[in-house]
């Protein structure tokens, strides 16, 4: 069975602070995919990143960066110099890969972290 | 950029009524999904659909739920006899190839009274 844990239910920061959202996952698969989605107050789910389990290189995209540590089963997300528009619920998610026998690639989501960035 | 379109954005229905939630996935996508998010909770998988049939369904997806792809563009979720606990945001999603990014629609908020 797959499981995603986002231990931080809510985080509140002041604009321009850096903030890290934690994600820990459990899977028996040797290959899998990890995702982050953003859900702003308007409710839609916005895709941020997909990471393959055999690619442990960290990734940076503008103010966003992701730290994938296979040894600790973590895929943490850092926002640098946070802005009010970053306020949202952030979901980490996990799916099987075809190499692990996955056939429908459904996502297993964590419970989400509500990030509030105050001006 | 092409996107997944869901209609209506908000539907209110009375308990026991049938509802149909509609989705138009991205046109060249092959895998289709419905997810549900009860207010304030996590997003949960309901059902996946590939090659014109259900490939997997969760324990939530019981006999009151059904999905259809009646033509080449629409993908619908029908709830036959709604219950209060069916109130949630329902997201449709589509994917082009296995493990390519999953694109979500903006959701339909279903309120059962």
């Amino acid at each position: 069975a797959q499981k995603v844990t986002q231990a931080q239910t809510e985080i509140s920061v002041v604009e321009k602070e850096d903030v890290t959202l934690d994600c820990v996952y459990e899977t028996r698969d040797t290959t899998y995919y990890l995702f982050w989605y953003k859900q702003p107050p308007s409710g839609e789910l916005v895709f941020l990143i997909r990471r393959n389990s055999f690619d442990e290189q960290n990734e940076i995209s503008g103010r966003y960066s992701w730290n994938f540590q296979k040894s600790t089963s973590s895929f943490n997300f850092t926002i640098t110099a946070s802005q009010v528009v970053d306020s949202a619920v952030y979901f980490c998610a996990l799916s099987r890969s075809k190499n692990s026998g996955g056939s429908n690639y459904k996502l297993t989501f964590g419970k989400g972290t509500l990030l509030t960035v105050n001006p | 950029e092409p996107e997944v379109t869901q209609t209506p954005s908000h539907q209110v229905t009375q308990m026991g009524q049938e509802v149909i939630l509609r989705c138009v996935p991205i046109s060249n996508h092959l895998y289709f999904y419905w997810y549900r998010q009860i207010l304030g909770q996590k997003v949960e998988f309901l059902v996946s659909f590939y090659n014109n049939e259900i490939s997997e369904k969760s324990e939530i997806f019981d006999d009151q739920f059904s999905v259809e792809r009646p033509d080449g563009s629409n993908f619908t979720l029908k709830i036959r006899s709604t219950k209060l606990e069916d109130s949630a945001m329902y997201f449709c999603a589509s994917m082009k190839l296995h493990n390519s990014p999953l694109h979500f629609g903006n959701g339909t908020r279903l309120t059962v009274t």
Side-chain angles (χ1 to χ4, degrees), chain A residues 8-67:
Chain A
Q8 303 149 311
T9 308
E10 293 186 37
I11 300 177
S12 182
V13 299
V14 177
E15 208 169 16
K16 297 183 185 173
E17 282 185 26
D18 299 346
V19 59
T20 295
L21 309 181
D22 297 334
C23 173
V24 173
Y25 61 91
E26 295 175 31
T27 180
R28 292 184 184 151
D29 294 338
T30 52
T31 58
Y32 46 89
Y33 285 87
L34 293 161
F35 302 78
W36 276 94
Y37 282 85
K38 174 182 179 179
Q39 187 176 43
S42 48
E44 71 270 26
L45 286 167
V46 179
F47 168 79
L48 295 178
I49 190 172
R50 177 186 59 145
R51 170 63 56 176
N52 192 315
S53 58
F54 50 77
D55 179 4
E56 288 194 66
Q57 251 190 332
N58 291 330
E59 183 157 340
I60 298 174
S61 176
R63 296 185 297 108
Y64 295 169
S65 62
W66 290 269
N67 183 356

Side-chain angles (χ1 to χ4, degrees), chain A residues 85-111:
Chain A
V85 293
D86 296 327
S87 297
V89 180
Y90 290 86
F91 290 98
C92 181
L94 169 69
S95 79
R96 306 190 75 189
S97 77
K98 191 173 185 182
N99 292 340
S100 289
S103 60
N104 77 76
Y105 321 112
K106 68 178 184 184
L107 296 182
T108 299
F109 283 83
K111 291 184 176 180

